[in-house]
Amino acid sequence: MLRLTRRTNPSRSLEILAPLVAVALTLVVAAILFVALGKNPADAFAAMFWRPVQDLYGWSELGVKVAPLILCAVGLAIGFRASVWNIGAEGQIVVGAIAASWVALATGEGGFGLPGWLLPLLAGALGGMVWGAIPALLRTKANANEILVSLMLVYVGGFLLQYVVRGPMRDPMSFGFPQSPMFPDPARLPILLDTTRLHLGFALALLAALVAWLFVARSYQGFVFRLSGEAPAAAAYAGFSRAKVIWGSFLISGGLAGLAGAAEVLGPIGQLQPAVSPGYGFAAIIVAFLGRLHPIGIIAAALLMGLFYLGGEIAQMELQLPIAITGVFQGLLLFFLLGADTFVRWRLVLGGTR
Amino acid sequence: MPPLLELVGITKRYPGIVANQDVSLAVQPGEIQALLGENGAGKSTLMKIVYGLARPDEGEIRWQGELVVENSPVLARKRGIGMVFQHFTLFETLTVAENIALGLEPGNAGSDLEGRIRELSRHYGLAVAPQAPVWSLSVGERQRVEIVRCLLQSPRLLIMDEPTSVLTPQEADGLFATLRRLAAEGCAVLYISHKLEEIQALCHAATVLRAGKVVARCDPTRETARSLAALMIGKAPPEIEHRPAESDGPVVLSVADLSLPSVDPHGTALKRVSFSLRAGEILGVAGVAGNGQRELLRALSGEDARAPAGAITLAGQPAGNLDPKRRRALGLAFVPEERLGRGAAPKLSLTLNALLTGKRQSLTRAGLIRQGAVERRATEIVRRFDVRTPGIQAEAGSLSGGNLQKFIVGRELYDGPKLLIAAHPTWGVDVGAATLIREEMLALRDRGGSVLLFSEELDELFLLSDRIAVMFHGMLSPPAPVRQLTPESVGLLMGGAGFEGGVGLAQAH
C-alpha cells in the first residue's frame, strides 16, 4: 500500500527546485500531447517558445504580456503570504480598466500640467481597490469567505464591462460594435521602446516588484502581514489587527490589479473593449505560487507564463492549434506545481498500515 | 508466577526522535507502579504501546507470561487493560450512563447498567450520577466517569495518565483512596506522573524514564522528592528560597467588578472579578484548569478588549478596552499559556520573534525594520536568559520547550515592564529552566515590579506568591496573604467551597 507521511524537515532547496521540476514535467507532457496531435514536438516547441523571442520586437511583446502578470502576482503574493486569498484579480483588472477608460474619455486631453495618462491610471488603481474592498468588507464585517466573494465578483465585474461597452460608454460612431471611442493620444501610456508596444506599465510592474520585495523583506508591516498569516494567535497576542491585514492585502492586490487593467486599456488596447484581459488575473495566481510568492521569483515565473501566452498565439497561427493550448499549458503547470509541492512536504512510503 | 505485564526492550522511533529506547519493565498484580519522567520523556508513548494505540519498532510485550503478537485497544481491553487518558473522551450531550454504554463491547452493556454503575461507584467511593448529562459535570467528575467505565470491564491493569493535573488536592486524595482499594483487590495500576509527592504517597515501585530510556527503578517511599527529581532530570535541582514580601507600593493593576461572557461557547464567563495588584508583589492565581483563567488572561492582555474601559485600570489608566499594544505601552508584559503559535511564531527566526512585542520606535525606522537593533535585542535575550540555540536565526519552533519559554520570558522582561502577567510559565519546562524563570520573576518583584502568576501547581504558587487568590467557575476569591493559607485551604477554594453564594460568601470566608 502507498501512503504519504509528513517530512519532519522540508528542504529549502527542494522547495525552490519544485517549480523547475513542474516546468520540466509540463514540457514532457506537452511533447506527448503534440505527438498525439500529429505535430513534431521539437518544431512545435521551437515555434512556440524559441522563435517568438528571436528579436527585440519579440522580447518587447513578451514585456507587454508580462507587465499585467507581474503587477497582479506581486499584489496577490503579499496577500497570500498573510493567508488572505484574493482569487478575484481578474475582476479587479476589469473594473480598473473601466474606471481608467471613463477617466481617460473625460479628462484624457490632460490639463493642470499633468500628463493625460496619469489620472486614468490612478483611477484604474482606485477602481481595483474598490472592487477588492468588497470582499475585504464582507470578510471583516460578516466573516464571509473571501475566496468565494472575490471569485464571484470576477463575473459581476465581467457583466459590468459588457454593460458599459454596450451602454453608457459605447462609441456612437462604432457602427454598433460594443466598444468605447479610442482614447485621446495624451491618455495613452508612453512607449518605452520606439516601434514596439512596450509601454510604461512594464516599468511600473518592475517597480512594483521592487517595492513589494522591500515590503516583504524589510518592512515592519511586511513582518506583521507574514505573522498574521503564519501564526494568527501570535499576531493577536502582539496586538496586530487581523482586519487591517485583510484590508491591506485586498487594497494592495486590488489596486495593483486595477493598475494592470488600466495599463492594458491605456497601453496596447487604446479603448475599452468587451475583452480586456485573457485571464491575466487567474494566471497571476499560478505565477505567484510558481515564483514562490517572492517578487524576484514572480518576475521569472511571469516571463514563462508570458511565453505561454505568446506561444499560444503563435501556435494558433503557425501550427493551426486552438488558442486553448495556452490554458492547457497553464493547467498542466499548476497541476505539476501542486504535485511537486506535495512531495516537498510529504514523502511517499511503501507498505505498512500505521 | 510471571508478572502480569512485562515489557522487554521496547523501542519506538518517530520521525526525528526516539520516543522509547530499549525500555523494559514488569508489573505485578496488585502493584501500583509509577512511571516517572519529565514532559517528553516517553511515558505516554510507552503506555500507548501497551494499550495498542502504537506499535513498537522493536521489543516484546508479555501478558501473564505470554507473548502478545497482535495488539489494539479492543484486544487490550479484552485482556483486561483499562486506560484513563489525560484528555477525556466523553460526549458532552449524552448522559453518564449513555457514555459508559458506548464504551462497552456490544452486548456487554446489559440491562441493569445503571445499577452496576451505582454499585461500582459506591464500592470504590467514586460519586457519579448515571443520569447526569456530561456537560454539567466538573472535570473531576468526568474523570470518575472515565474510571467507572474502565472498572465495569473488571480490568486486571489500569493505566492512569497524569490523572491529578486536573484535580484539586482533595479530589486527588479521593482518587488515591480508590486506586489503593483497587490494588488491594489485586488490580495492578500503572501511574504516570511527574509529581513527586503523590508518587511517594501512592506508589509501591517506580520506573524512571529520561529521554526515552529507563534510568532507574526504585522504591519511591525510600526516596526523597529531591532524590527522585535528581533521577528524573539527571542532576539535583537548584533550590529557590521562599521569601514572601508585603508590599505597600502603589496599585499597578486593578480589576473592578469585571463580568464578561465567554467568546468560546464552551468557555467560562467571568463573574464579578475584582482584585488589585501593587508594585513589588507577586499575586498568585490558583484554580483547576477551565475555571475562567483563560478568559481572565485574555481580558487582561487585551486580546479580548470587550471589557468596559473602567473595569481594568493599568498604571492609573482605564485599560479595559485597550488593545494589547496600548497596554504594553503602559508597562504590561505577558507570557501566554501557549508558547508555540501564540507566544512565538514557530516558523519565524528568534530575531523576528524578538521583534514581536518589542517597542516599535526603537526597532524600526521609516517603516523598515532596523536589522541591527533587532539582532542585538535577540542576542541579548539569548545571552541573559541562557537560551540554548544554534543561533538567533534558528526558527523558534526548533527550540525545546524550556529554551523557548526562557526566550519568551526574557523577551517580555527585556524592556523593563511594570507588570508581568505569566500564565503557567514553567509548565512542561525542564527543572533548570523553571528555576531560572522563577528567579527572574522574584527579581522583577524585588526591583519593584509586579507579577500576576497563574499556575495549576500549588507548590509553585506557594513558593513564589505573596498573596494568592483562587478562580472557580469564573469567579475569583479575594486574595489572601500566603502565610494565612495552606495547600488544604486553597484546595477547598479550588473545589468551590465558599463560592456557593457567589463572591460575597467567599469574602466572608
Side-chain angles (χ1 to χ4, degrees):
Chain A
M1 217 177 72
L2 285 176
R3 66 200 165 92
L4 289 170
T5 53
R6 190 176 278 281
R7 290 179 198 265
T8 41
N9 217 347
S11 138
R12 188 86 191 99
S13 46
L14 274 185
E15 221 165 279
I16 292 167
L17 208 65
L20 301 178
V21 172
V23 170
L25 287 172
T26 302
L27 295 180
V28 170
V29 175
I32 296 169
L33 200 68
F34 284 132
V35 172
L37 288 168
K39 314 275 177 196
N40 180 337
D43 290 349
F45 282 141
M48 286 183 72
F49 303 130
W50 182 241
R51 259 174 277 152
V53 287
Q54 283 309 288
D55 52 14
L56 191 63
Y57 183 79
W59 280 97
S60 73
E61 277 301 295
L62 186 57
V64 171
K65 301 277 189 248
V66 156
L69 289 172
I70 295 177
L71 279 171
C72 292
V74 294
L76 293 178
I78 285 174
F80 291 167
R81 279 170 170 265
S83 295
V84 178
W85 306 105
N86 178 5
I87 306 298
E90 185 72 9
Q92 292 140 19
I93 289 177
V94 165
V95 175
I98 296 172
S101 302
W102 183 65
V103 174
L105 292 170
T107 71
E109 296 293 349
F112 319 108
L114 297 173
W117 46 264
L118 186 60
L119 286 180
L121 205 57
L122 293 178
L126 196 66
M129 283 189 192
V130 168
W131 217 240
I134 300 170
L137 183 77
L138 291 175
R139 169 95 245 183
T140 50
K141 293 295 171 205
N143 204 23
N145 184 312
E146 80 272 22
I147 298 175
L148 295 176
V149 176
S150 64
L151 178 61
M152 289 194 283
L153 280 171
V154 170
Y155 304 102
V156 179
F159 286 120
L160 188 65
L161 175 64
Q162 300 313 316
Y163 166 70
V164 296
V165 293
R166 287 175 170 79
M169 287 173 73
R170 177 153 71 177
D171 182 2
M173 317 291 282
S174 72
F175 306 102
F177 282 106
Q179 58 192 34
S180 79
M182 290 300 287
F183 303 142
D185 269 348
R188 302 291 300 276
L189 287 184
I191 295 295
L192 298 177
L193 276 175
D194 278 343
T195 74
T196 70
R197 303 198 301 160
L198 193 66
H199 53 86
L200 186 67
F202 180 69
L204 290 176
L206 295 184
L207 184 67
L210 181 71
V211 173
W213 174 80
L214 206 62
F215 179 84
V216 167
R218 292 277 176 268
S219 82
Y220 188 72
Q221 282 308 319
F223 161 71
V224 171
F225 272 52
R226 182 174 169 202
L227 186 73
S228 182
E230 281 187 14
Y237 157 75
F240 303 131
S241 148
R242 178 72 184 155
K244 275 188 197 160
V245 170
I246 291 171
W247 272 101
S249 297
F250 267 103
L251 292 182
I252 292 170
S253 55
L256 286 172
L259 199 63
E264 282 302 291
V265 289
L266 302 172
I269 303 178
Q271 64 184 158
L272 191 63
Q273 293 181 348
V276 295
S277 157
Y280 288 139
F282 291 121
I285 299 169
I286 304 175
V287 168
F289 283 108
L290 195 64
R292 308 280 82 167
L293 305 183
H294 188 286
I296 306 298
I298 283 172
I299 293 178
L303 284 169
L304 181 73
M305 190 62 76
L307 206 52
F308 285 176
Y309 274 109
L310 218 51
E313 289 171 13
I314 306 268
Q316 188 183 21
M317 288 184 282
E318 293 191 4
L319 304 173
Q320 289 80 45
L321 288 173
I323 190 79
I325 197 82
T326 302
V328 171
F329 270 87
Q330 287 177 2
L332 285 173
L333 186 57
L334 183 61
F335 174 80
F336 285 120
L337 181 65
L338 293 174
D341 276 350
T342 303
F343 287 112
V344 170
R345 284 186 205 107
W346 301 76
R347 186 187 6 226
L348 205 59
V349 179
L350 213 72
T353 50
R354 271 199 81 90
Chain B
M1 207 173 105
L4 181 68
L5 172 75
E6 193 176 10
L7 303 180
V8 186
I10 298 283
T11 298
K12 175 73 186 176
R13 298 180 197 89
Y14 287 111
I17 52 157
V18 182
N20 292 136
Q21 193 177 339
D22 195 22
V23 174
S24 301
L25 65 80
V27 187
Q28 305 294 340
E31 176 186 51
I32 304 182
Q33 180 165 153
L35 196 56
L36 181 64
E38 290 200 273
N39 287 295
K43 297 168 300 203
S44 292
T45 303
L46 191 63
M47 290 306 102
K48 281 185 190 160
I49 288 171
V50 172
Y51 196 58
L53 283 166
R55 182 178 293 194
D57 296 319
E58 287 160 33
E60 294 178 352
I61 307 170
R62 291 173 188 279
W63 180 252
Q64 297 179 303
E66 277 179 41
L67 184 68
V68 170
V69 182
E70 257 192 280
N71 203 3
S72 72
V74 174
L75 290 173
R77 277 199 295 270
K78 279 203 178 127
R79 285 186 197 108
I81 301 178
M83 183 157 176
V84 176
F85 292 90
Q86 221 170 341
H87 303 283
F88 302 147
T89 52
L90 301 172
F91 292 97
E92 300 247 330
T93 49
L94 302 181
T95 67
V96 169
E98 284 165 342
N99 263 291
I100 289 175
L102 275 176
L104 297 176
E105 304 306 322
N108 195 10
S111 51
D112 189 27
L113 185 61
E114 278 187 30
R116 283 160 65 206
I117 292 172
R118 286 212 178 81
E119 191 191 311
L120 267 176
S121 62
R122 206 166 35 243
H123 185 69
Y124 291 104
L126 292 161
V128 292
Q131 282 307 325
V134 163
W135 59 262
S136 70
L137 303 185
S138 75
V139 185
E141 289 169 316
R142 288 177 199 210
Q143 187 182 58
R144 293 201 280 270
V145 176
E146 293 270 2
I147 296 173
V148 167
R149 178 153 78 177
C150 286
L151 295 185
L152 267 173
Q153 309 184 39
S154 321
R156 320 273 309 268
L157 171 68
L158 188 62
I159 303 172
M160 305 284 302
D161 190 1
E162 305 256 355
T164 56
S165 60
V166 294
L167 301 182
T168 66
Q170 284 81 4
E171 284 176 319
D173 286 342
L175 173 69
F176 293 167
T178 304
L179 294 180
R180 287 198 189 97
R181 170 132 212 181
L182 271 168
E185 292 173 2
C187 179
V189 177
L190 254 173
Y191 189 87
I192 306 176
S193 182
H194 64 268
K195 294 186 180 170
L196 309 170
E197 290 79 6
E198 61 187 40
I199 283 173
Q200 287 185 293
L202 182 69
C203 301
H204 309 128
T207 298
V208 185
L209 283 184
R210 193 195 312 151
K213 292 182 217 156
V214 175
V215 291
R217 271 177 248 282
C218 60
D219 178 350
T221 54
R222 295 190 180 176
E223 302 282 334
T224 63
R226 223 174 133 64
S227 66
L228 280 175
L231 287 173
M232 194 163 85
I233 63 169
K235 57 175 193 278
E239 276 188 282
I240 293 184
E241 189 190 341
H242 178 52
R243 39 178 203 266
E246 272 182 45
S247 168
D248 53 0
V251 170
V252 174
L253 170 71
S254 79
V255 173
D257 223 7
L258 172 65
S259 296
L260 209 57
S262 172
V263 181
D264 173 1
H266 295 291
T268 308
L270 298 176
K271 295 181 202 107
R272 305 192 60 192
V273 171
S274 297
F275 68 95
S276 62
L277 174 59
R278 292 179 179 278
E281 76 164 343
I282 298 179
L283 174 60
V285 179
V288 177
N291 272 291
Q293 293 96 326
R294 200 185 164 73
E295 289 76 8
L296 179 56
L297 280 162
R298 297 187 91 89
L300 292 174
S301 74
E303 285 159 283
D304 178 358
R306 295 172 301 150
I312 299 171
T313 310
L314 185 60
Q317 305 275 325
N321 58 352
L322 297 185
D323 68 38
K325 269 187 286 186
R326 291 230 178 82
R327 296 190 202 202
R328 223 166 258 129
L330 292 173
L332 172 81
F334 177 40
V335 177
E337 299 103 301
E338 301 96 353
R339 286 188 278 275
L340 273 182
R342 188 158 160 223
K347 292 254 171 106
L348 298 190
S349 64
L350 290 182
T351 312
L352 287 177
N353 272 295
L355 179 62
L356 188 64
T357 58
K359 285 204 168 68
R360 194 177 160 180
Q361 301 88 303
S362 60
L363 298 172
T364 62
R365 188 187 295 128
L368 298 185
I369 297 168
R370 288 173 58 195
Q371 208 65 32
V374 180
E375 279 170 12
R376 267 197 302 284
R377 181 180 160 90
T379 310
E380 189 63 10
I381 294 169
V382 165
R383 190 185 62 75
R384 262 172 48 188
F385 287 82
D386 187 30
V387 179
R388 312 277 163 80
T389 165
I392 54 170
Q393 291 314 322
E395 288 181 4
S398 70
L399 267 61
S400 74
N403 277 307
L404 184 58
Q405 188 73 339
K406 284 193 281 187
F407 181 83
I408 293 172
V409 171
R411 180 188 67 200
E412 294 306 295
L413 290 175
Y414 189 83
D415 291 320
K418 285 197 185 83
L419 163 66
L420 176 74
I421 300 179
H424 320 297
T426 60
W427 190 88
V429 160
D430 61 89
V431 176
T435 305
L436 184 131
I437 289 166
R438 288 170 181 163
E439 286 289 2
E440 286 292 337
M441 289 192 289
L442 287 170
L444 174 66
R445 189 227 20 214
D446 293 343
R447 287 197 299 270
S450 315
V451 179
L452 185 64
L453 171 65
F454 285 68
S455 180
E456 280 154 32
E457 310 231 1
L458 283 184
D459 298 344
E460 176 169 74
L461 289 170
F462 273 89
L463 183 63
L464 299 175
S465 310
D466 304 313
R467 290 188 298 152
I468 291 179
V470 178
M471 280 208 91
F472 177 75
H473 285 191
M475 296 176 281
L476 187 77
S477 73
V482 71
R483 62 186 150 70
Q484 296 174 10
L485 298 168
T486 61
E488 288 69 37
S489 64
V490 173
L492 284 174
L493 282 167
M494 285 165 70
F499 278 101
E500 285 85 353
V503 180
L505 242 184
Q507 255 148 4
H509 198 70

